[in-house]
Amino acid sequence: MSTAIRVAVGLPVRSAGADPDVVLTWAVRAEHGPFSGLAVPDRVVHDALEPLVALAAAAAVTRRIGLLTSIVLGPTRETTLLARQAASVDVLSRGRLTLGVGIGIRPDDYTATGTDFATRGRRLDAQLPLLRRIWAGEPLDSGAEPVDPGIGMIGPAPARPGGPQVLVGGYVDAVARRIAAWGDGFMAPGGGDPERMAALWRAIVDAWDAAGRAGRPRRVAGSYFALGPRAEEAARAHIDAWYGFDPALAERRLRGIPTTVEAVSAVIRRHEDDGADELVLRPCVADLDQLDRLTDL
């Protein structure tokens, strides 16, 4: 099928059975395929690769394809280190990083990192301007962590002035305010209620215009997928492993996963019709056959 929307593919860093050969071969094949980007998720309490490390590895074996965190849990991380990691990946990839950030919904990720789940939104509000100041080489006289205003530059300088594009993800109304103030666009979570997501996007555009921002915010959508024999079984196993802590949420996620070529095509068309610039299709199975089937589509 031919589409105007760009299609990125998830890197299988959290799927059962993923190994270095699969991950790196997947990145190389995606680079030579029709895909616009490689995307990685974030989760602390889970058997998965750390997202920015995984993207650094992907950067080493690719030259063209975009690299996205979809998303990184900003409030679970010390901000200065996050800024340096993101800038480093941006430098190593020659400016291909898009930093998707959000707050997440799982308290155990915060317990494991010694951070406060209840204040994660306020922490992200403080992190976003601090990331911008670090990437710009400006004095750090305020922010999420107390920093001596006389401290020197915290590097490296990103490949692009001002740092990588920052896309804010989530379902809450505060997402619109964060994007208008500090972001470059919206990283839409997969599986959200379509009417709710449409209303949130309208609020994002309205906040963007009210802030006097030029142009239009970037819009990246997301969906899981599984193809081939036993696709439905593979999708259920993946969702149970990831969302089993909330059975009702897991069922909602599962209902939206396309498991046939026709269903994947319909998902792409729907997001294109909704005005998304890019769609991230995340694999439920760490098998190169999944990438080959998606490439054929």
Side-chain angles (χ1 to χ4, degrees):
M1 66 181 294
S2 175
T3 85
I5 191 174
R6 297 189 301 276
V7 178
V9 64
L11 197 62
V13 296
R14 68 181 183 183
S15 302
D19 62 33
D21 288 338
V22 170
V23 170
L24 296 180
T25 301
W26 187 291
V28 171
R29 289 192 187 180
E31 162 91 351
H32 291 97
F35 303 105
S36 58
L38 286 165
V40 292
D42 192 13
R43 182 79 203 274
V44 179
V45 185
H46 199 73
D47 184 12
L49 300 178
E50 197 283 326
L52 288 164
V53 172
L55 288 182
V61 297
T62 60
R63 292 293 180 271
R64 171 197 65 84
I65 199 164
L67 306 171
L68 306 88
T69 58
S70 176
I71 58 170
V72 72
L73 301 175
T76 66
R77 297 163 180 258
E78 191 274 323
T79 311
T80 302
L81 179 59
L82 174 58
R84 295 185 65 224
Q85 290 171 323
S88 296
V89 174
D90 199 51
V91 169
L92 292 170
S93 66
R94 295 179 173 83
R96 288 185 281 143
L97 177 66
T98 294
L99 188 70
V101 296
I103 61 175
I105 60 174
R106 301 168 179 87
D108 56 355
D109 288 333
Y110 287 82
T111 302
T113 55
T115 47
D116 185 8
F117 181 77
T119 61
R120 66 197 191 283
R122 293 196 294 274
R123 181 168 169 80
L124 183 60
D125 286 337
Q127 285 184 303
L128 291 171
L130 184 54
L131 289 172
R132 294 296 194 190
R133 286 198 297 274
I134 291 173
W135 292 335
E138 297 176 0
L140 306 182
D141 55 355
S142 63
E145 289 84 20
V147 180
D148 183 342
I151 199 167
M153 173 190 172
I154 296 173
R160 290 165 291 179
Q165 279 202 341
V166 175
L167 306 185
V168 182
Y171 299 98
V172 297
D173 293 339
V175 166
R177 170 178 54 76
R178 291 169 184 145
I179 292 171
W182 302 107
D184 298 291
F186 181 42
M187 180 75 75
D193 174 73
E195 291 186 4
R196 169 59 183 150
M197 300 310 294
L200 180 55
W201 175 246
R202 289 193 295 271
I204 290 167
V205 173
D206 289 345
W208 181 276
D209 292 340
R213 299 285 301 272
R216 173 181 177 273
R218 181 177 167 189
R219 184 177 181 181
V220 178
S223 173
Y224 294 103
F225 79 94
L227 291 171
R230 305 175 71 178
E232 293 183 6
E233 180 182 335
R236 178 171 291 279
H238 184 71
I239 294 301
D240 284 348
W242 201 251
Y243 296 101
F245 70 98
D246 185 336
L249 176 61
E251 281 300 316
R252 291 198 300 272
R253 290 285 187 270
L254 187 63
R255 284 197 298 269
I257 296 179
T259 56
T260 66
V261 167
E262 294 77 13
V264 173
S265 298
V267 167
I268 295 172
R269 287 193 209 96
R270 175 167 60 83
H271 286 291
E272 184 176 33
D273 291 344
D274 287 345
D277 300 296
E278 192 168 20
L279 170 66
V280 175
L281 290 171
R282 304 183 181 96
C284 292
V285 182
D287 188 328
L288 290 165
D289 173 72
Q290 295 293 298
L291 183 62
D292 292 340
R293 289 175 183 273
L294 192 61
T295 299
D296 291 342
L297 168 63

